[in-house]
Amino acid sequence: MVGLIDCNNFFVSCERVFDPSLRARPVVVLSNNDGCVVALSNEAKALGIKRGDPFFQIKEMCLRQGVRALSGNHRLYGDMSSRVMAILGSIVPEIEIYSIDEAFLYLDGVNGSELEVLGREIVRKIRRCTGIPTSLGIASTKTLAKVAARFAKKYPAYRSCAIIDSEERRRKALSLTPIKDVWGVGRRLRRHFDNIGVRTALDFADMDQAGVKRMLNIVGERTWRELNGDACISVEQEETAKKQMICSRSFGRMLENFEDLRQAVALFATIVSRKLRAQGCAAVSISVFLHTNSMRKDLPQYYNSAFRQLPEATCDTIGLVAMATECLRSVYKQGYQYKKAGIIINEVIPIRAVRRSLFTDAEERAKRARLMCVLDRINASSVSHDTVHVAAYSPVESIVRSERRSRLYSTRLDHSIIINCNR
C-alpha cells in the first residue's frame, strides 16, 4: 500500500503556527513582489478569492473583509517542510518527497486495521510536533492515494485519514471524483474528456484499455492503469534530469545602475550553481537576459540577452558568476530602468560526462571543487543557505519587495517569539 501525506493549506498553516491571531481568519500568501495570491486559507476561499488573483485587484476587498495578506516567507516554509519530512522518516521506513508539502509513504507489510491506526498516528504526530494539519490518503497506487487524500481533506468524517482498500471503496471514490481533480490529467486532456462525455474518474477508469491506448499517450494510459489498481508509477519514471535551468526575478524596484544588476545576476548564478551541484550536473553554456517594465509605456523600453559557451562545463559558483557578469556587461545600457533579469543554463550534463579542457589547470580545478564542497557543507549545516557566498552576491530580500513578510521564527534566533513572563 502507498500513502500520500498532504499538508493542508501549507503556507498559511506555517504562518498560523507562529501567529495564533491568524487562526480562523481569512489569510492569503502572496508571490514575489507581492504580485498575486499563491496560497490561501479556507476562510479566504469562502470569500471568493482564488489562487492567482492579482493582489492589487483584491486589496480593497481584503481591507473590507479583514483578510490578512502576507508576503511569501519561503525560508520558513522550507524549514517547516524539512521538519515534517523528518518526522515522516522517523515513522515510515521509506518515503518519497514529492513537493514541499507532499510525500508518498511506502507502507508495505502493513495491512487491515493496522493501516488506519498507523495513518492516524502519522497525522497526529505531525500536528503535535509541528502544528501543521495534514491529510493522509492510503491506497494500492499513487494515483488512488491522491484521490484518497482529497477525501481525507474534504470530508471531516474521515478524521484526516482516508483508505481505499477494496473494490467497492475504489469505485465509490472514483465516482465522486471529478476528472479534473485526477492527478496527471492536465488542461488539454480535461477538454478532450469533456468533449467525449467523461465527467468523473470512474468514467475514465471504466473505459476500454485499447481505446485508452489509441486516444492517449503513455502517461495517460499509466494514469488509467493506476486508477484501476495497477501500480505502475515508480520513482525512476517520475524523476527526469533537468536539461535546462532558469533563475530570474522581477525586482521590487526598478534598477538603473550596473552594480545593482550585477549583484542580482550574481545571486541568480549562485542559486543555479548550487542546484547544479545538488543534481550532480554541470552547465555547458549560459545566457543572461534583462528587460524594462513593458507595462510602463511612459518609460523607454529595452530588452536584450547574451549567450556564452563555457570553456569547460562547470558547476563552480565563482566561474558561473564571472561568466554571467561578462554576459550582463555586454547587454547593459545606461538610461533604462530595468524591471527583471535572469539567467538561463541552456544545456546541462552530468559531471561525469564533462570533457576536460587542455587549457585549464587540473590542480586549480580540483582545488575549486574542494572549495565548493566546503561551501555547500557550511551552508547546509547553518540556518541559512547563504552563510558563505561570493562577495558580488546580493540577498534576494534586497531586490524583491516583501513588505508583508513574517519573521524567520524557526531559523533565526533574533526572530524568535518573545514571551513576557513578568505578568
mmCIF file with all atom_site columns, all heavy atoms in Angstrom, residues 310-321:
data_model
loop_
_atom_site.group_PDB
_atom_site.id
_atom_site.type_symbol
_atom_site.label_atom_id
_atom_site.label_alt_id
_atom_site.label_comp_id
_atom_site.label_asym_id
_atom_site.label_entity_id
_atom_site.label_seq_id
_atom_site.pdbx_PDB_ins_code
_atom_site.Cartn_x
_atom_site.Cartn_y
_atom_site.Cartn_z
_atom_site.occupancy
_atom_site.B_iso_or_equiv
_atom_site.pdbx_formal_charge
_atom_site.auth_seq_id
_atom_site.auth_comp_id
_atom_site.auth_asym_id
_atom_site.auth_atom_id
_atom_site.pdbx_PDB_model_num
ATOM 1  N N   . LEU A 1 310 ? 30.640 28.032 -22.305 1.00 0.00 ? 310 LEU A N   1
ATOM 2  C CA  . LEU A 1 310 ? 31.686 27.949 -21.287 1.00 0.00 ? 310 LEU A CA  1
ATOM 3  C C   . LEU A 1 310 ? 32.898 27.188 -21.826 1.00 0.00 ? 310 LEU A C   1
ATOM 4  O O   . LEU A 1 310 ? 32.730 26.197 -22.554 1.00 0.00 ? 310 LEU A O   1
ATOM 5  C CB  . LEU A 1 310 ? 31.149 27.249 -20.042 1.00 0.00 ? 310 LEU A CB  1
ATOM 6  C CG  . LEU A 1 310 ? 29.996 27.972 -19.331 1.00 0.00 ? 310 LEU A CG  1
ATOM 7  C CD1 . LEU A 1 310 ? 29.363 27.079 -18.277 1.00 0.00 ? 310 LEU A CD1 1
ATOM 8  C CD2 . LEU A 1 310 ? 30.497 29.253 -18.688 1.00 0.00 ? 310 LEU A CD2 1
ATOM 9  N N   . PRO A 1 311 ? 34.097 27.610 -21.497 1.00 0.00 ? 311 PRO A N   1
ATOM 10 C CA  . PRO A 1 311 ? 35.293 26.906 -21.975 1.00 0.00 ? 311 PRO A CA  1
ATOM 11 C C   . PRO A 1 311 ? 35.297 25.434 -21.560 1.00 0.00 ? 311 PRO A C   1
ATOM 12 O O   . PRO A 1 311 ? 35.788 24.576 -22.283 1.00 0.00 ? 311 PRO A O   1
ATOM 13 C CB  . PRO A 1 311 ? 36.443 27.673 -21.294 1.00 0.00 ? 311 PRO A CB  1
ATOM 14 C CG  . PRO A 1 311 ? 35.865 28.999 -20.936 1.00 0.00 ? 311 PRO A CG  1
ATOM 15 C CD  . PRO A 1 311 ? 34.427 28.768 -20.666 1.00 0.00 ? 311 PRO A CD  1
ATOM 16 N N   . GLU A 1 312 ? 34.730 25.193 -20.362 1.00 0.00 ? 312 GLU A N   1
ATOM 17 C CA  . GLU A 1 312 ? 34.623 23.837 -19.843 1.00 0.00 ? 312 GLU A CA  1
ATOM 18 C C   . GLU A 1 312 ? 33.368 23.771 -18.983 1.00 0.00 ? 312 GLU A C   1
ATOM 19 O O   . GLU A 1 312 ? 33.124 24.656 -18.158 1.00 0.00 ? 312 GLU A O   1
ATOM 20 C CB  . GLU A 1 312 ? 35.859 23.498 -19.010 1.00 0.00 ? 312 GLU A CB  1
ATOM 21 C CG  . GLU A 1 312 ? 35.847 22.102 -18.414 1.00 0.00 ? 312 GLU A CG  1
ATOM 22 C CD  . GLU A 1 312 ? 37.119 21.828 -17.615 1.00 0.00 ? 312 GLU A CD  1
ATOM 23 O OE1 . GLU A 1 312 ? 38.190 21.673 -18.233 1.00 0.00 ? 312 GLU A OE1 1
ATOM 24 O OE2 . GLU A 1 312 ? 37.030 21.793 -16.373 1.00 0.00 ? 312 GLU A OE2 1
ATOM 25 N N   . ALA A 1 313 ? 32.531 22.763 -19.196 1.00 0.00 ? 313 ALA A N   1
ATOM 26 C CA  . ALA A 1 313 ? 31.291 22.642 -18.423 1.00 0.00 ? 313 ALA A CA  1
ATOM 27 C C   . ALA A 1 313 ? 31.611 22.646 -16.930 1.00 0.00 ? 313 ALA A C   1
ATOM 28 O O   . ALA A 1 313 ? 32.567 21.985 -16.483 1.00 0.00 ? 313 ALA A O   1
ATOM 29 C CB  . ALA A 1 313 ? 30.567 21.356 -18.799 1.00 0.00 ? 313 ALA A CB  1
ATOM 30 N N   . THR A 1 314 ? 30.831 23.396 -16.163 1.00 0.00 ? 314 THR A N   1
ATOM 31 C CA  . THR A 1 314 ? 31.164 23.568 -14.748 1.00 0.00 ? 314 THR A CA  1
ATOM 32 C C   . THR A 1 314 ? 29.920 23.803 -13.900 1.00 0.00 ? 314 THR A C   1
ATOM 33 O O   . THR A 1 314 ? 28.863 24.193 -14.416 1.00 0.00 ? 314 THR A O   1
ATOM 34 C CB  . THR A 1 314 ? 32.128 24.760 -14.571 1.00 0.00 ? 314 THR A CB  1
ATOM 35 O OG1 . THR A 1 314 ? 32.527 24.855 -13.204 1.00 0.00 ? 314 THR A OG1 1
ATOM 36 C CG2 . THR A 1 314 ? 31.466 26.064 -14.983 1.00 0.00 ? 314 THR A CG2 1
ATOM 37 N N   . CYS A 1 315 ? 30.071 23.572 -12.596 1.00 0.00 ? 315 CYS A N   1
ATOM 38 C CA  . CYS A 1 315 ? 29.040 23.942 -11.620 1.00 0.00 ? 315 CYS A CA  1
ATOM 39 C C   . CYS A 1 315 ? 29.665 24.827 -10.552 1.00 0.00 ? 315 CYS A C   1
ATOM 40 O O   . CYS A 1 315 ? 29.111 25.006 -9.471  1.00 0.00 ? 315 CYS A O   1
ATOM 41 C CB  . CYS A 1 315 ? 28.416 22.687 -10.991 1.00 0.00 ? 315 CYS A CB  1
ATOM 42 S SG  . CYS A 1 315 ? 29.607 21.592 -10.184 1.00 0.00 ? 315 CYS A SG  1
ATOM 43 N N   . ASP A 1 316 ? 30.820 25.395 -10.868 1.00 0.00 ? 316 ASP A N   1
ATOM 44 C CA  . ASP A 1 316 ? 31.553 26.239 -9.945  1.00 0.00 ? 316 ASP A CA  1
ATOM 45 C C   . ASP A 1 316 ? 30.895 27.617 -9.840  1.00 0.00 ? 316 ASP A C   1
ATOM 46 O O   . ASP A 1 316 ? 30.690 28.301 -10.854 1.00 0.00 ? 316 ASP A O   1
ATOM 47 C CB  . ASP A 1 316 ? 33.001 26.384 -10.430 1.00 0.00 ? 316 ASP A CB  1
ATOM 48 C CG  . ASP A 1 316 ? 33.816 27.315 -9.567  1.00 0.00 ? 316 ASP A CG  1
ATOM 49 O OD1 . ASP A 1 316 ? 34.186 26.913 -8.467  1.00 0.00 ? 316 ASP A OD1 1
ATOM 50 O OD2 . ASP A 1 316 ? 34.047 28.458 -10.012 1.00 0.00 ? 316 ASP A OD2 1
ATOM 51 N N   . THR A 1 317 ? 30.570 28.027 -8.635  1.00 0.00 ? 317 THR A N   1
ATOM 52 C CA  . THR A 1 317 ? 29.874 29.296 -8.433  1.00 0.00 ? 317 THR A CA  1
ATOM 53 C C   . THR A 1 317 ? 30.697 30.475 -8.924  1.00 0.00 ? 317 THR A C   1
ATOM 54 O O   . THR A 1 317 ? 30.186 31.365 -9.622  1.00 0.00 ? 317 THR A O   1
ATOM 55 C CB  . THR A 1 317 ? 29.546 29.489 -6.942  1.00 0.00 ? 317 THR A CB  1
ATOM 56 O OG1 . THR A 1 317 ? 28.671 28.452 -6.508  1.00 0.00 ? 317 THR A OG1 1
ATOM 57 C CG2 . THR A 1 317 ? 28.876 30.832 -6.703  1.00 0.00 ? 317 THR A CG2 1
ATOM 58 N N   . ILE A 1 318 ? 31.964 30.492 -8.575  1.00 0.00 ? 318 ILE A N   1
ATOM 59 C CA  . ILE A 1 318 ? 32.820 31.632 -8.944  1.00 0.00 ? 318 ILE A CA  1
ATOM 60 C C   . ILE A 1 318 ? 32.908 31.770 -10.459 1.00 0.00 ? 318 ILE A C   1
ATOM 61 O O   . ILE A 1 318 ? 32.804 32.867 -11.015 1.00 0.00 ? 318 ILE A O   1
ATOM 62 C CB  . ILE A 1 318 ? 34.213 31.475 -8.314  1.00 0.00 ? 318 ILE A CB  1
ATOM 63 C CG1 . ILE A 1 318 ? 34.099 31.457 -6.782  1.00 0.00 ? 318 ILE A CG1 1
ATOM 64 C CG2 . ILE A 1 318 ? 35.143 32.592 -8.769  1.00 0.00 ? 318 ILE A CG2 1
ATOM 65 C CD1 . ILE A 1 318 ? 35.395 31.133 -6.060  1.00 0.00 ? 318 ILE A CD1 1
ATOM 66 N N   . GLY A 1 319 ? 33.085 30.649 -11.153 1.00 0.00 ? 319 GLY A N   1
ATOM 67 C CA  . GLY A 1 319 ? 33.182 30.683 -12.604 1.00 0.00 ? 319 GLY A CA  1
ATOM 68 C C   . GLY A 1 319 ? 31.891 31.122 -13.265 1.00 0.00 ? 319 GLY A C   1
ATOM 69 O O   . GLY A 1 319 ? 31.904 31.915 -14.218 1.00 0.00 ? 319 GLY A O   1
ATOM 70 N N   . LEU A 1 320 ? 30.765 30.632 -12.759 1.00 0.00 ? 320 LEU A N   1
ATOM 71 C CA  . LEU A 1 320 ? 29.476 30.999 -13.349 1.00 0.00 ? 320 LEU A CA  1
ATOM 72 C C   . LEU A 1 320 ? 29.133 32.457 -13.077 1.00 0.00 ? 320 LEU A C   1
ATOM 73 O O   . LEU A 1 320 ? 28.566 33.146 -13.927 1.00 0.00 ? 320 LEU A O   1
ATOM 74 C CB  . LEU A 1 320 ? 28.373 30.087 -12.812 1.00 0.00 ? 320 LEU A CB  1
ATOM 75 C CG  . LEU A 1 320 ? 28.385 28.648 -13.357 1.00 0.00 ? 320 LEU A CG  1
ATOM 76 C CD1 . LEU A 1 320 ? 27.340 27.796 -12.652 1.00 0.00 ? 320 LEU A CD1 1
ATOM 77 C CD2 . LEU A 1 320 ? 28.144 28.637 -14.863 1.00 0.00 ? 320 LEU A CD2 1
ATOM 78 N N   . VAL A 1 321 ? 29.480 32.954 -11.882 1.00 0.00 ? 321 VAL A N   1
ATOM 79 C CA  . VAL A 1 321 ? 29.246 34.369 -11.575 1.00 0.00 ? 321 VAL A CA  1
ATOM 80 C C   . VAL A 1 321 ? 30.069 35.250 -12.513 1.00 0.00 ? 321 VAL A C   1
ATOM 81 O O   . VAL A 1 321 ? 29.579 36.257 -13.046 1.00 0.00 ? 321 VAL A O   1
ATOM 82 C CB  . VAL A 1 321 ? 29.582 34.675 -10.104 1.00 0.00 ? 321 VAL A CB  1
ATOM 83 C CG1 . VAL A 1 321 ? 29.633 36.179 -9.857  1.00 0.00 ? 321 VAL A CG1 1
ATOM 84 C CG2 . VAL A 1 321 ? 28.563 34.033 -9.176  1.00 0.00 ? 321 VAL A CG2 1
#
